[in-house]
Structures are given as C-alpha cells and as structure tokens.
Amino acid sequence: MEAEANSGSLEDSWAFIQRPGEGCRTVPLAGHVGFDSLPDQLVNKSVSQGFCFNILCVGETGLGKSTLMDTLFNTKFEGEPATHTQPGVQLRSNTYDLQESNVGLKLTIVSTVGFGDQINKEDSYKPIVEFIDAQFEAYLQEELKIRRVLHAYHDSRIHACLYFIAPTGHSLKSLDLVTMKKLDSKVNIIPIIAKSDAISKSELTKFKIKITSELVSNGVQIYQFPTDDESVAEINGTMNAHLPFAVIGSTEELKIGNKMMKARQYPWGTVQVENEAHCDFVKLREMLIRVNMEDLREQTHSRHYELYRRCKLEEMGFQDTDPDSKPFSLQETYEAKRNEFLGELQKKEEEMRQMFVQRVKEKEAELKEAEKELHEKFDRLKKLHQDEKKKLEDKKKSLDDEVNAFKQRKTAAELLQSQSSQAGGSQTLKRDKEKKNNPWLCTE
C-alpha cells in the first residue's frame, strides 16, 4: 500500500511539472540589456556565410529557359544549346557564385534537357522526380550522420521550379498537367508562359484563365506567394491573381528614347522586357528574387523536405507515437525496430536452417538412390561380363578340341603317307634287283 501511495504521488508530481514554454510570464526590464541586437547579429552571420538558391527550369526545348535565366540575373551563364535529338530527359545542373554589394549567392540552375522531345512522353516526368528526391535524400543522409556539418553542407534541394508553358493560346498539354501534378508535392511550382509575345493580349488573357481553370480542376497545387506577413501581404495577394506570369527574355539591349533597355526587335515593333505593359517579367523578378526568395527556401525545408523526411522515416519504421497514441521516443523506436529486426533475422535464420536440413536430406536421398542404381548397374555389368567370359572360355575349349583333333588327323595322315611311300620304294628296289639277276627280263 505504501509503495502504491508513493507511486501515485510521483505520478502527481510529474503531472505538475511544467514543460518549457508553458506558463511564461512577461517581466519588465530595468535597463538596456542588449539582446535587441540579435537581428543584426543574425544578418551579419548570414551575410558572412552567404546564401544559396536553386532553380529548376522545366519546359520543352526552345522555350527560352536559358535566355530567361540570363535576363533574370542580368548576366550570361555558360551553357551549351540543347537539341531536339535527345533519346531521353536529362537534367543538367550548373552552379555559379554571384556577388551583389556585400551579399554572396551560390546559384544553381537545373535545366531539363530533352523534355518533351520524345515520341513517347509517358515517363518524361520520372527523371525530374528522381532528381528532386535524390537531393532530399542527400540532405537527409547528411542530417542523420553522427557528425553533421550542415553549416558547411551545400544544400542542393530545389527551392523553385519555373514551369515553362508553350504559348499555344489553347490549353495545357497533357504532359504539362501530368508533370506538374507529380511535382506539386515536392517543389514550389511557379508556372510561366514562355515567349508570351507570340500571342495577342486578348488571347493571352484567355489563355491565363484557361490555364488556371485546368490547374484547379486537375488538383495541381502551385506555389502561392505568402500573405501572412503584413509587409508583403498586399503585393503578394495582387501577384497571386496574375499567375501564371507571361514573360519574355532577352539579353539584347536596344536604345529606346534616351535609355538602353533589354528588348526584342521585330519588324512590327519592339517588345520591352521590363515594360509591365508588354509582359510580366518585372512581376516574376520581384516575386521570385526580391520579395519571396527566403520564403521559397523556407517552404522547401519546412513543407516539401519535411514531407519527404516523414514518409522516409515512416517507411523505415520510425513513429512519433505508439499504438496507444502515447509519445514514442527515437530511442524506443530504435529499440523496437531493432528487436523486430532481430526477431525477423532469427526467424529467417531458422527458416534457412530448416531449408538447409531439408535440402541436405533430399540430397542424401538422391545420392543414396544414385548409389543404389550404380550398384545395380555394376552387378548387371559384372554378371554380363561373367557370362561373356564363360562363353569365351567354352568357345576357346571347343576350339582347342578342334585343334587337337585336327593335329591328330594330321599326324595320322602323315604316318599313313609315310608308310605308303616306304612300301612303294621297296617294291621298286625289288624289281630292279630281279632285273639285275635275270637279264632275260630286260630283253622282253
């Protein structure tokens, strides 16, 4: 009873322990402390470390992806022009160090070479999805290391995906819808209409409405500029209504009035890249670089990467709560998973042992059967050999008897011939002797 009372009191005492952050009180300061300089410290540290930003350009060959990147960052990035003869979709990544005032930016531009050039476009999105997942996996592996160096790790996760839509003026292609649907849970998609000067203003307006309608009806989630920050809520809310942006890219500068401006010269006139009456390039640059670049980075980490990380860890068996919805620590998850793994390992080991024993028994039975067959075959051959040997011996004996009989006949014949020749010789001598004794026999 006393133990139960003590355990109950311990549980009650644990129940009254406050967690960090609960029941905080606001107290006034008697004077200046100095922690109001934390934002400045953070800014200085961030500026000294530099920033990174990774852009994925998805679109068919020839839509001006490289030209738009050159125009956005007001420079000329090195790159080989892509052809329409690629056997499949390849992702080409290039990283550049940019410097503006005292702020350094490590910019990575990933382009989809050969996208939409194949006859069978069914799997065109797969290399893109695999590339994005590979960057998430690399960051996760770095994060799970015992000795992490995330402050020095080059973050290659895609922060923004500029999806280039061909200016057909009709509707989205099936390839575009399928690809954006596969990517919307992995990356911040900003759809843009490339080479928007190819269609008229009225057609462009209808095309934007059609694209938005098709994206909504197919459940494609594109990136929405955040409106929770009061300082940018108004401009972001206005720009969300302008998606998708209709853009034009050009690095060529023409003299318009008294100013040199980026523009494209046509026989019918000039299209100014930075003129908002001509295209949405300025809106794209404002939203992508000058207003929401940090939010794109944050959304990539807190939303898309967290989703990938959660799914990956759940696949590995890690959970936040046990079946009773109670908190489940990483150590407990590890121990449970380890015990489960050891149990499965022992089970597999036992199954393999039983399988090995069974196979050994089957092999022994096969060998015994084969040995029995060999003995039977040997006995048959041995008996056959003995029969053949007996036949040969009988035949040899018969031949020997015939040879002996032949020799006997031969000896008898030779003896008879010798006797007959001796008898004939004695008769001849007798006649010669008679003739010699009786000369009258010769005259007759």
Side-chain angles (χ1 to χ4, degrees):
M1 295 293 292
E2 185 178 354
E4 291 178 358
N6 290 335
S7 63
S9 62
L10 285 173
E11 291 177 358
D12 294 338
S13 64
W14 278 109
F16 284 103
I17 293 178
Q18 292 182 347
R19 295 182 180 179
E22 291 184 358
C24 292
R25 294 180 299 168
T26 302
V27 295
L29 300 178
H32 182 262
V33 177
F35 57 80
D36 58 351
S37 65
L38 272 174
D40 296 331
Q41 297 176 35
L42 182 62
V43 168
N44 294 333
K45 184 177 180 179
S46 298
V47 169
S48 64
Q49 290 179 349
F51 302 88
C52 72
F53 193 67
N54 307 318
I55 300 177
L56 171 64
C57 298
V58 181
E60 299 177 3
T61 306
L63 289 180
K65 299 186 290 294
S66 300
T67 303
L68 183 63
M69 290 297 101
D70 294 345
T71 311
L72 272 174
F73 291 94
N74 199 23
T75 186
K76 179 66 176 176
F77 296 114
E78 299 177 357
E80 299 177 359
T83 63
H84 293 273
T85 58
Q86 296 292 334
V89 180
Q90 299 177 357
L91 279 86
R92 186 179 298 166
S93 177
N94 295 296
T95 302
Y96 309 93
D97 286 323
L98 306 180
Q99 187 76 24
E100 187 175 33
S101 299
N102 64 331
V103 179
L105 178 67
K106 188 180 288 292
L107 177 67
T108 300
I109 300 175
V110 183
S111 58
T112 54
V113 181
F115 182 78
D117 290 339
Q118 295 75 36
I119 297 176
N120 183 6
K121 303 177 178 64
E122 183 178 359
D123 297 332
S124 295
Y125 68 89
K126 288 185 178 180
I128 305 174
V129 173
E130 291 171 358
F131 179 85
I132 296 173
D133 285 344
Q135 312 316 309
F136 283 151
E137 182 64 24
Y139 191 89
L140 178 61
Q141 293 299 324
E142 181 66 27
E143 194 177 53
L144 294 177
K145 286 182 179 179
I146 296 176
R147 295 184 179 180
R148 301 185 298 178
V149 285
L150 291 176
H151 64 281
Y153 175 75
H154 173 56
D155 186 4
S156 59
R157 295 173 297 177
I158 300 300
H159 300 124
C161 171
L162 298 182
Y163 197 96
F164 289 70
I165 301 170
T168 61
H170 302 294
S171 62
L172 285 171
K173 298 179 181 180
S174 300
L175 174 63
D176 298 329
L177 283 172
V178 171
T179 303
M180 281 193 276
K181 184 62 180 175
K182 295 292 183 180
L183 296 179
D184 64 354
S185 62
K186 298 179 179 293
V187 70
N188 302 310
I189 300 177
I190 302 176
I192 58 177
I193 301 172
K195 296 186 175 181
S196 60
D197 54 344
I199 54 178
S200 64
K201 270 196 171 183
S202 60
E203 290 175 334
L204 187 58
T205 302
K206 294 177 182 178
F207 191 34
K208 281 189 174 186
I209 296 172
K210 183 69 173 176
I211 290 173
T212 304
S213 174
E214 290 184 343
L215 291 176
V216 172
S217 62
N218 287 276
V220 178
Q221 300 291 327
I222 63 174
Y223 174 72
Q224 294 292 317
F225 304 118
T227 56
D228 51 354
D229 186 355
E230 294 181 359
S231 61
V232 295
E234 183 178 355
I235 185 173
N236 280 347
T238 303
M239 291 304 169
N240 281 329
H242 282 83
L243 289 171
F245 293 135
V247 299
I248 302 167
S250 176
T251 55
E252 182 181 358
E253 291 191 351
L254 300 177
K255 188 173 183 180
I256 299 174
N258 295 325
K259 295 182 179 180
M260 297 297 294
M261 305 180 67
K262 288 185 174 63
R264 299 185 73 89
Q265 183 72 49
Y266 294 101
W268 44 263
T270 303
V271 179
Q272 300 174 24
V273 173
E274 297 180 337
N275 189 335
E276 294 191 48
H278 292 179
C279 70
D280 296 333
F281 173 80
V282 173
K283 295 182 178 68
L284 174 63
R285 184 178 61 190
E286 289 290 324
M287 292 296 99
L288 179 66
I289 300 175
R290 301 183 180 181
V291 178
N292 297 303
M293 179 180 280
E294 180 56 31
D295 184 73
L296 287 164
R297 286 157 42 93
E298 183 181 347
Q299 286 291 320
T300 298
H301 181 78
S302 62
R303 181 186 168 196
H304 301 297
Y305 170 69
E306 283 299 321
L307 176 61
Y308 176 86
R309 179 179 176 275
R310 185 185 71 198
C311 295
K312 199 71 175 179
L313 292 179
E314 286 178 353
E315 287 178 5
M316 297 168 64
F318 293 97
Q319 296 178 351
D320 291 330
T321 58
D322 60 8
D324 298 329
S325 299
K326 294 181 180 179
F328 209 48
S329 68
L330 184 63
Q331 180 66 24
E332 292 172 333
T333 304
Y334 169 76
E335 292 294 337
K337 198 67 180 174
R338 182 174 181 272
N339 294 333
E340 181 184 352
F341 173 75
L342 291 176
E344 292 179 357
L345 187 63
Q346 291 177 356
K347 183 179 178 181
K348 288 183 179 180
E349 185 179 356
E350 181 64 22
E351 290 177 355
M352 291 179 66
R353 191 182 68 80
Q354 294 292 342
M355 187 182 298
F356 176 75
V357 171
Q358 182 65 25
R359 288 187 177 179
V360 168
K361 289 181 179 179
E362 291 175 356
K363 198 67 177 177
E364 287 180 350
E366 290 177 3
L367 291 173
K368 287 181 180 179
E369 187 66 25
E371 185 179 7
K372 183 179 178 181
E373 291 178 359
L374 285 174
H375 280 300
E376 291 176 354
K377 187 176 181 180
F378 176 75
D379 292 339
R380 288 197 304 270
L381 291 175
K382 185 177 180 181
K383 187 175 182 303
L384 182 63
H385 175 70
Q386 290 175 351
D387 293 341
E388 291 291 336
K389 184 178 180 181
K390 186 176 180 182
K391 288 180 181 179
L392 289 174
E393 289 177 351
D394 294 342
K395 194 172 183 180
K396 181 183 178 185
K397 184 177 180 182
S398 175
L399 288 174
D400 290 340
D401 293 343
E402 290 179 3
V403 169
N404 292 332
F406 175 76
K407 287 181 177 180
Q408 290 176 0
R409 289 196 300 271
K410 180 180 178 183
T411 304
E414 289 177 350
L415 182 59
L416 183 60
Q417 184 180 2
S418 174
Q419 290 176 355
S420 61
S421 60
Q422 287 178 1
S426 61
Q427 289 178 1
T428 304
L429 290 173
K430 187 177 181 182
R431 279 198 301 271
D432 292 340
K433 190 175 180 180
E434 288 178 353
K435 287 179 180 181
K436 189 175 179 182
N437 294 330
N438 191 4
W440 298 103
L441 291 175
C442 296
T443 58
E444 289 180 359

